[in-house]
Each structure stands twice: as C-alpha cells, then as structure tokens.
Amino acid sequence: MDKPEGKRVIVGMSGGVDSSVAAYLLKEEGYEVIGVTMEIWPEKSDEKQSEEGGCCGLSAAEDAARVARKLGIPHYVMNFRREFENKVIRYFVEEYEKGHTPNPCIACNRHLKWGALMQKGLALGADYIATGHYAEVVCLPNGRYAFRESVDDSKDQTYALYNLTQEQLGHTLMPLGAYKKSEVRKIAENLGLVNAKKPDSQDICFVENNDYASFVEEYTGKPSILGDFVDLDGRRLGTHKGIIHYTVGQRKGLGIAFGKPMYVVKIDPERNEVVLGTNDDLMVREVLAKDVNLMAVDRIEEPLRAIAKIRYNHRGAPCTVTLVDGVLKVVFDEPQRAPTKGQALVFYKDEVMFGGGTII
C-alpha cells in the first residue's frame, strides 16, 4: 500500500469498538480519516431502533458520532436502505424460500461495504475504505491481493470476505488484522471511548430475536406451507411447519419425537419435504461450490492441497481443491458435518485465503 501522507480513507463505523479503534489506528498512521455510518435497515421509530441497537440501530450511529468527535474526525451518516434491501434482504429471503441457508453478511460485505460505500467514497476523493474486520490485506509475490488470517484465531473474519474483487482489495485497509480483540478493547479503554466495553453483535442485524422464519413470512406476506418430514427412503415421518423453519444439521425444534436423535439432512423445496436422518448421514467428504471467486491466484490448473471451511465457525480441515468448468470441488481428507447449500466454501493455504464459492 502507498504511504499514508495525503491519503484519504473512509472508515465504515458501525458504532462498535472494532471500527472505532480501526479509525483511531489509521489516523495515528497519518491518514486523513472520515467516518461513515451506513443507514441500511429498517425504517423504524427512534425508540425501536434505540432498543435494538446493533449495527442498524439509531444507537449505532450515535455511538459512532461520539467516537468520531473524540478522535477529532468528521463523521457522516449515509442512507443505503435501498441498496441493502435489493442486494441483501431479497437475497436472504429468496435463499430461504429455496431451502438454502444464506449468509447475508457475505452479501453485505460485497455489495454494500465494498460496493455502494466504496463507490461513494471513491467518488468523494477517498483513496481507500477501511473497516474493523479482523483480517489483513496482503499483496502477494504474484501481484494479487488476498487476505491473511487474523492473529486472533477466535475473531478471524476472512471467511465472510472471500468474494471481494482485486479492485476492491486494492482500495482496502484493515488495521485490526495484527491485533487480538483484548488488545483492541484495551486501546479503546485507554482512549476513553464510549463503546470500549460494548458487547459484540451476534445475530443478523435486521432479524429480531434471530427468528428467520418469521422475518421471511412477514417480508413476503406469505405463510409457511406445511409439508412432510420423510426419511432417506422417502417414507413419511410426520408434518413439518414449512421449509423456511429448517436448516441442514438441525436437531432441535423439529416438533416431533422419534425415540432417537434425528437431524435435517436435506431440504427439497420442489416436493416441500424435509428429509431426516442420523448424524452419520450428515457426514460428507466431497463438497461442490458455484459462483467461485479466486483471490490469491487467478486459476487452479492442478489439484491444490489446502484447508477449507464450510461455515463461519468451522475450524477448517485438510482437503484437495480442484476447479473444473467454474465449479469448485473440495474433497476433504476426513468427512465433515453438514455442509449446507447457500453457505460459503472457502479455502486457505499458509494462512492466506485463496478463494471460495457458494455451496450447491
């Protein structure tokens, strides 16, 4: 990256401690820092937004503004509600209706933070955008940009960033990749930031009480359609309350007793069936992905040994990666539990993210 003197950076400030400390660190390095809070979803009363907080609420913008004043940097709130609904909310709903399990944070990163926000920032004369993600942007010997995993294994967020483009990465700064979360909180405490002890947001920001199915029903105005639970041989086991209520690997909340542990192993939207089986039925070695984005390399011509993750909190497992006709195939050395359609398949080598795709 270029030296910071005279360089302007837009920092996406969510009101949380991570993005606040990121803004501070960049200012200390000599960048001209401008804080921006994205107003995304949904339009609610001030009282309701304040109650919910998170990265979408009124309190988030207020906390970000307080931090900006403390740091002596300008702060703006920009309205991206339309883009958020078009690129994140609709995708989220449509994926659940297909029987998939989407990751809206990945879509938000690509289309909002590194799409709409970056476009607006560059138009305003910024050289970079920055966030409080725990990841590190590196330029590899082959000239390509990629992410190196955070030094804080428990907070690494590279998985949710796999689909950023080379152009986007070339205009990205992530100062927290070299810090542990405890160190970030300590910096915030020493600075006297209002959000130094603010809890991390855990749930999807636009879904109240983590109730995905109710959100989908309310958004679409369509009630769930009852269907059949079936076993792997197609035998009817009972009635489910609608496919949007289930995800592969789920055991709790099935609403039916079998006398032994049973899990969702497949969702068939065309037949409106939820297929149940044992935990052994969830174990898979081969996983396929579409919509592939390569980051550290521009092609994969020979089988590549790597570590791959099939969900955000998956620790990763050794595998062999191939790419044929746009389809990413990962064969794990040992079976992995419940790869799920709609989630990301992301692979790494030597702590560098090489790329990923959407599980099919």
Side-chain angles (χ1 to χ4, degrees):
M1 297 294 182
D2 296 334
K3 292 183 178 181
E5 289 81 3
K7 297 293 183 179
R8 178 180 297 172
V9 55
I10 300 291
V11 180
M13 298 182 69
S14 66
V17 65
D18 296 328
S19 56
S20 299
V21 172
Y24 164 76
L25 293 172
L26 290 168
K27 184 183 178 185
E28 286 296 291
E29 287 183 31
Y31 289 96
E32 178 191 348
V33 177
I34 300 172
V36 172
T37 298
M38 302 179 70
E39 191 175 60
I40 47 179
W41 175 270
E43 290 197 61
K44 300 178 180 176
S45 68
D46 289 353
E47 180 181 359
K48 186 66 175 175
Q49 290 192 54
S50 182
E51 287 175 0
E52 292 180 8
C55 63
C56 298
L58 179 65
S59 63
E62 291 175 344
D63 286 347
R66 291 190 187 101
V67 169
R69 286 195 295 271
K70 182 78 172 180
L71 299 180
I73 63 173
H75 173 260
Y76 304 95
V77 177
M78 294 184 179
N79 188 333
F80 290 96
R81 286 186 177 129
R82 179 179 298 177
E83 293 90 341
F84 190 72
E85 180 166 5
N86 290 339
K87 296 296 187 179
V88 180
I89 300 294
R90 289 181 182 174
Y91 146 78
F92 177 84
V93 169
E94 289 170 359
E95 285 292 283
Y96 263 105
E97 290 183 316
K98 294 175 184 176
H100 300 169
T101 303
N103 190 320
C105 293
I106 291 176
C108 185
N109 285 337
R110 173 67 181 269
H111 298 295
L112 271 291
K113 293 171 184 169
W114 277 271
L117 178 60
M118 175 172 278
Q119 184 178 26
K120 186 163 290 189
L122 296 179
L124 293 173
D127 300 284
Y128 303 106
I129 72 162
T131 67
H133 284 88
Y134 285 81
E136 183 181 358
V137 180
V138 293
C139 185
L140 302 174
N142 63 4
R144 293 182 66 84
Y145 291 104
F147 286 115
R148 178 179 288 125
E149 293 179 282
S150 168
V151 298
D152 190 336
D153 292 340
S154 67
K155 297 300 296 182
D156 179 72
Q157 293 173 297
T158 54
Y159 172 89
L161 300 165
Y162 83 88
N163 61 355
L164 301 189
T165 67
Q166 289 294 297
E167 181 180 3
Q168 289 169 336
L169 285 175
H171 292 281
T172 296
L173 300 174
M174 287 186 175
L176 298 193
Y179 290 82
K180 291 185 177 294
K181 180 74 177 197
S182 58
E183 296 173 318
V184 169
R185 286 206 182 275
K186 187 65 175 177
I187 292 172
E189 289 175 12
N190 291 339
L191 291 171
L193 299 186
V194 65
N195 53 13
K197 296 183 179 180
K198 186 175 182 178
D200 293 341
S201 178
Q202 298 295 328
D203 300 329
I204 294 174
C205 69
F206 56 86
V207 178
E208 294 182 36
N209 302 317
N210 219 26
D211 188 350
Y212 307 145
S214 293
F215 176 84
V216 173
E217 290 178 332
E218 181 179 349
Y219 184 84
T220 61
K222 298 184 295 186
S224 296
I225 301 174
L226 303 182
D228 291 336
F229 283 123
V230 299
D231 64 17
L232 290 169
D233 295 319
R235 292 188 292 265
R236 186 178 184 278
L237 301 173
T239 302
H240 69 68
K241 55 186 178 182
I243 63 172
I244 62 174
H245 292 267
Y246 308 96
T247 186
V248 171
Q250 178 178 337
R251 176 186 174 187
K252 296 181 179 180
L254 299 182
I256 185 172
F258 299 98
K260 63 178 180 179
M262 294 289 280
Y263 302 83
V264 175
V265 298
K266 182 181 177 182
I267 297 173
D268 187 338
E270 294 184 1
R271 300 174 65 90
N272 193 27
E273 292 179 341
V274 176
V275 182
L276 303 180
T278 67
N279 191 62
D280 288 344
D281 296 322
L282 290 168
M283 304 305 292
V284 176
R285 284 192 63 206
E286 182 178 297
V287 183
L288 303 178
K290 64 176 183 178
D291 300 329
V292 178
N293 183 57
L294 296 180
M295 189 170 286
V297 292
D298 59 2
R299 64 177 65 87
I300 299 176
E301 297 179 338
E302 301 291 336
L304 175 71
R305 290 293 296 169
I307 300 292
K309 297 182 179 181
I310 56 175
R311 63 182 62 88
Y312 182 80
N313 59 0
H314 186 222
R315 293 192 61 83
C319 64
T320 299
V321 180
T322 55
L323 181 63
V324 179
D325 296 330
V327 176
L328 190 70
K329 182 169 80 170
V330 168
V331 179
F332 288 99
D333 295 358
E334 300 291 338
Q336 302 299 305
R337 186 180 186 276
T340 305
K341 290 182 179 181
Q343 291 287 289
L345 175 66
V346 181
F347 63 103
Y348 302 76
K349 190 173 181 66
D350 299 325
E351 299 182 341
V352 172
M353 182 209 290
F354 268 52
T358 304
I359 296 175
I360 55 179

